[in-house]
Short mmCIF file of all heavy atoms in Angstrom, two decimals:
data_model
loop_
_atom_site.label_atom_id
_atom_site.label_comp_id
_atom_site.label_asym_id
_atom_site.label_seq_id
_atom_site.Cartn_x
_atom_site.Cartn_y
_atom_site.Cartn_z
N ASP N 85 -6.75 -1.50 6.02
CA ASP N 85 -5.61 -1.75 6.70
C ASP N 85 -4.96 -3.04 6.48
O ASP N 85 -3.73 -3.32 6.75
CB ASP N 85 -5.95 -1.70 8.16
CG ASP N 85 -6.38 -0.33 8.65
OD1 ASP N 85 -6.10 0.65 7.96
OD2 ASP N 85 -7.04 -0.20 9.69
N GLU N 86 -5.61 -4.04 5.94
CA GLU N 86 -5.07 -5.33 5.59
C GLU N 86 -4.45 -5.49 4.24
O GLU N 86 -3.91 -6.47 3.90
CB GLU N 86 -6.20 -6.49 5.72
CG GLU N 86 -6.87 -6.43 7.10
CD GLU N 86 -8.04 -7.40 7.19
OE1 GLU N 86 -8.13 -8.29 6.45
OE2 GLU N 86 -8.99 -6.97 7.94
N VAL N 87 -4.54 -4.40 3.38
CA VAL N 87 -4.09 -4.39 2.08
C VAL N 87 -2.77 -3.66 1.96
O VAL N 87 -2.64 -2.54 2.41
CB VAL N 87 -5.06 -3.67 1.10
CG1 VAL N 87 -4.58 -3.64 -0.32
CG2 VAL N 87 -6.36 -4.40 1.10
N ASP N 88 -1.67 -4.34 1.43
CA ASP N 88 -0.49 -3.69 1.20
C ASP N 88 -0.51 -2.92 -0.05
O ASP N 88 -1.10 -3.40 -0.98
CB ASP N 88 0.77 -4.70 1.07
CG ASP N 88 0.92 -5.41 2.40
OD1 ASP N 88 0.81 -4.74 3.37
OD2 ASP N 88 1.13 -6.66 2.35
N VAL N 89 0.04 -1.68 -0.22
CA VAL N 89 0.07 -0.83 -1.42
C VAL N 89 1.46 -0.63 -1.81
O VAL N 89 2.31 -0.25 -1.00
CB VAL N 89 -0.73 0.54 -1.06
CG1 VAL N 89 -0.79 1.35 -2.24
CG2 VAL N 89 -2.17 0.15 -0.59
N LEU N 90 1.56 -0.74 -3.09
CA LEU N 90 2.89 -0.45 -3.74
C LEU N 90 2.53 0.47 -4.97
O LEU N 90 1.61 0.22 -5.76
CB LEU N 90 3.52 -1.66 -4.25
CG LEU N 90 4.89 -1.70 -4.79
CD1 LEU N 90 5.91 -1.07 -3.81
CD2 LEU N 90 5.38 -3.05 -5.36
N SER N 91 3.28 1.58 -5.04
CA SER N 91 2.98 2.55 -6.12
C SER N 91 3.18 1.87 -7.40
O SER N 91 4.09 1.19 -7.67
CB SER N 91 3.91 3.74 -6.03
OG SER N 91 3.77 4.64 -7.13
N PRO N 92 2.18 2.12 -8.36
CA PRO N 92 2.34 1.59 -9.80
C PRO N 92 3.44 2.27 -10.55
O PRO N 92 3.80 1.85 -11.63
CB PRO N 92 0.97 1.74 -10.34
CG PRO N 92 0.33 2.82 -9.56
CD PRO N 92 0.98 2.76 -8.20
N ALA N 93 3.90 3.47 -10.15
CA ALA N 93 4.80 4.33 -10.89
C ALA N 93 6.21 3.71 -10.74
O ALA N 93 6.56 3.11 -9.61
CB ALA N 93 4.85 5.70 -10.42
N GLY N 94 6.94 3.69 -11.80
CA GLY N 94 8.26 3.20 -11.67
C GLY N 94 8.42 1.57 -11.91
O GLY N 94 7.53 0.97 -12.22
N ASN N 95 9.65 1.09 -11.53
CA ASN N 95 9.95 -0.25 -11.78
C ASN N 95 9.84 -0.98 -10.46
O ASN N 95 10.89 -0.93 -9.76
CB ASN N 95 11.29 -0.36 -12.42
CG ASN N 95 11.65 -1.75 -12.98
OD1 ASN N 95 10.90 -2.71 -12.78
ND2 ASN N 95 12.81 -1.88 -13.43
N ASN N 96 8.80 -1.67 -10.15
CA ASN N 96 8.55 -2.19 -8.84
C ASN N 96 8.59 -3.80 -8.84
O ASN N 96 8.14 -4.35 -8.01
CB ASN N 96 7.27 -1.63 -8.27
CG ASN N 96 7.26 -0.29 -7.85
OD1 ASN N 96 8.49 0.13 -7.26
ND2 ASN N 96 6.32 0.53 -8.15
N GLU N 97 9.11 -4.38 -9.91
CA GLU N 97 9.08 -5.80 -10.10
C GLU N 97 9.79 -6.49 -8.93
O GLU N 97 9.30 -7.42 -8.30
CB GLU N 97 9.65 -6.27 -11.38
CG GLU N 97 8.71 -6.07 -12.56
CD GLU N 97 8.88 -4.70 -13.17
OE1 GLU N 97 9.98 -3.92 -12.82
OE2 GLU N 97 8.11 -4.20 -13.97
N GLU N 98 10.97 -5.85 -8.59
CA GLU N 98 11.80 -6.47 -7.39
C GLU N 98 11.01 -6.35 -6.12
O GLU N 98 10.88 -7.35 -5.30
CB GLU N 98 13.11 -5.79 -7.25
CG GLU N 98 14.19 -6.29 -8.37
CD GLU N 98 14.36 -7.79 -8.26
OE1 GLU N 98 14.60 -8.25 -7.19
OE2 GLU N 98 14.53 -8.46 -9.28
N ALA N 99 10.35 -5.24 -5.89
CA ALA N 99 9.70 -5.11 -4.69
C ALA N 99 8.38 -6.01 -4.58
O ALA N 99 8.14 -6.61 -3.49
CB ALA N 99 9.19 -3.59 -4.49
N LEU N 100 7.81 -6.21 -5.76
CA LEU N 100 6.65 -7.14 -5.78
C LEU N 100 7.14 -8.58 -5.47
O LEU N 100 6.53 -9.34 -4.73
CB LEU N 100 5.94 -7.16 -7.11
CG LEU N 100 4.87 -8.10 -7.36
CD1 LEU N 100 3.70 -7.89 -6.23
CD2 LEU N 100 4.19 -7.93 -8.78
#
Side-chain angles (χ1 to χ4, degrees):
D85 294 340
E86 300 172 33
V87 177
D88 295 317
V89 178
L90 185 62
S91 173
N95 188 359
N96 291 319
E97 288 85 12
E98 282 298 319
L100 176 60

